[in-house]
Amino acid sequence: MKGSLSFFLISLVAILVGACRGGELRKKFYKETCPGAEDIVQKIIWKNVALNSTLPAKFLRMHFHDCFVRGCDASVLIDSTASNSAEKDSIPNQTVGGFDVIEEVKTELEKKCPGIVSCADIVALAARDSVSFQFKKPLWEVLTGRRDGRISLISEANSQIPPPSFNFSQLKQSFASKGLTVHDLVVLSGGHSIGVGHCNFFSRRLYNFTGKGDADPSLDSTYAAFLRTKCRSLADNTTIVEMDPGSGMNFDNNYYKILRQNKGMFQSDAALLTNKGASNIVDELLDPAKFFTEFAQSMERMGAVGVLTGTSGEIRKKCNVVN
């Protein structure tokens, strides 16, 4: 009896550890069921990135926003209906794009292997492949085998995706709730090396930081003056500005260099310097080789958050609609 109980407990622990690490995700999940699936994804993603250099930042954000709500289950792709407002229409997801390219990939995969490749895996692969286009080689490994969720709620996206106004404590708590560490937080913030920010997400730092018509004193004054030439008022919600000035289309570790100069665009960027441990990690990531290694590892960890595997969820026929 004791032996049986011990075996049961060991098996249970193994199952729980496996779940924490992404359950049944593995390398080349589709090798037998849909050979060439990952090549098809890469080919279509690279074709589109060659035509539109803004896509890597959009796909990276899509993957991040997807994983932070119900896990990496492609719930971010589901359209709203008359009876349900979905994640896609939430405030943080107004800046996500590339949905048409994801559907192009899905359409091609459905022709080759109907009902086999999940939209959740497509999102994870699209993030990796789009950022990797610049280097013409994969920057991190994507384990596959995710399945698609059936639920998408605007309220969950609005409450669970950390906004750019968060302070360090709020960011730490948000990441911890997904099983991610402060190290992951600082490393994944390096994704701000590419893409743009909308004025309405940071203009309070320029014009009304404490409610007295003042600027955020932690923001470099020269950089703040530059941002005010782009964002003319608190009411501007359409203008966009590169998050990494002069390097906004190149994925690199320049983000940490400008962060050290107090030129992080968002309050959440500046927040990384308000904690000694996080600030030390920023310094470590000033080394390009260290950044690329650590970014790859953190992306793999984030890509395993709350995944559905086995018989959970479904494999959507179209990524924007549940079956």
Side-chain angles (χ1 to χ4, degrees), residues 20-322:
C20 291
R21 291 180 178 172
E24 298 167 35
L25 299 185
R26 62 177 187 264
K27 296 179 184 179
K28 308 295 182 184
F29 182 85
Y30 301 107
K31 184 178 180 180
E32 304 297 332
T33 55
C34 190
E38 293 188 23
D39 292 334
I40 290 172
V41 176
Q42 185 197 74
K43 182 179 179 181
I44 295 175
I45 295 298
W46 280 18
K47 178 195 74 174
N48 281 277
V49 172
L51 298 172
N52 183 354
S53 60
T54 70
L55 285 175
K58 291 177 179 178
F59 286 135
L60 199 56
R61 185 172 295 179
M62 178 188 289
H63 187 30
F64 173 67
H65 286 195
D66 183 39
C67 292
F68 264 65
V69 184
R70 293 187 169 269
C72 313
D73 68 345
S75 53
V76 71
L77 303 179
I78 297 173
D79 287 340
S80 294
T81 64
S83 59
N84 179 65
S85 294
E87 292 172 35
K88 188 186 285 188
D89 292 324
S90 67
I91 293 170
N93 284 329
Q94 296 304 304
T95 57
V96 174
F99 296 104
D100 56 329
V101 180
I102 297 295
E103 205 55 59
E104 180 183 348
V105 172
K106 179 61 171 173
T107 299
E108 191 61 33
L109 287 170
E110 284 297 302
K111 290 178 184 175
K112 180 176 172 61
C113 318
I116 298 296
V117 182
S118 70
C119 299
D121 276 341
I122 294 172
V123 170
L125 289 165
R128 191 270 310 273
D129 292 342
S130 60
V131 175
S132 299
F133 174 75
Q134 173 187 336
F135 305 89
K136 299 298 187 288
K137 64 177 182 180
L139 289 187
W140 64 88
E141 186 170 69
V142 175
L143 302 182
T144 43
R146 297 167 189 79
R147 288 172 65 85
D148 301 323
R150 298 188 179 98
I151 299 171
S152 183
L153 304 171
I154 189 172
S155 58
E156 292 184 342
N158 281 330
S159 64
Q160 294 182 35
I161 296 171
S165 59
F166 263 13
N167 61 33
F168 179 78
S169 295
Q170 292 169 316
L171 289 168
K172 179 181 177 181
Q173 183 178 0
S174 174
F175 273 66
S177 71
K178 307 303 174 185
L180 299 172
T181 65
V182 168
H183 189 269
D184 293 318
L185 161 62
V186 180
V187 171
L188 293 173
S189 293
H192 286 176
S193 171
I194 52 175
V196 297
H198 288 66
C199 288
N200 54 307
F201 287 118
F202 62 87
S203 56
R204 193 174 68 86
R205 300 186 74 200
L206 307 176
Y207 295 107
N208 198 32
F209 188 61
T210 64
K212 299 177 181 178
D214 56 341
D216 183 349
S218 71
L219 186 62
D220 177 81
S221 58
T222 303
Y223 183 50
F226 164 74
L227 291 176
R228 280 191 288 270
T229 68
K230 301 291 184 180
C231 308
R232 296 292 186 175
S233 73
L234 283 168
D236 187 344
N237 60 3
T238 55
T239 304
I240 56 175
V241 185
E242 278 189 339
M243 290 190 286
D244 185 355
S247 183
M249 292 298 176
N250 295 317
F251 184 74
D252 52 32
N253 72 326
N254 198 56
Y255 166 80
Y256 301 100
K257 297 175 185 176
I258 65 170
L259 196 58
R260 270 283 164 231
Q261 298 166 11
N262 296 312
K263 295 178 181 177
M265 176 175 285
F266 302 118
Q267 192 171 337
S268 58
D269 294 322
L272 302 182
L273 301 180
T274 64
N275 174 268
K276 183 173 176 55
S279 182
N280 288 339
I281 297 169
V282 169
D283 288 339
E284 291 174 11
L285 297 172
L286 291 170
D287 175 358
K290 178 79 169 174
F291 166 66
F292 283 109
T293 298
E294 298 297 332
F295 191 82
Q297 293 174 359
S298 288
M299 284 300 295
E300 288 177 42
R301 282 193 287 272
M302 187 190 78
V305 169
V307 295
L308 301 173
T309 59
T311 57
S312 299
E314 64 183 17
I315 303 297
R316 281 181 225 142
K317 295 180 176 66
K318 286 177 63 67
C319 288
N320 63 327
V321 185
V322 295

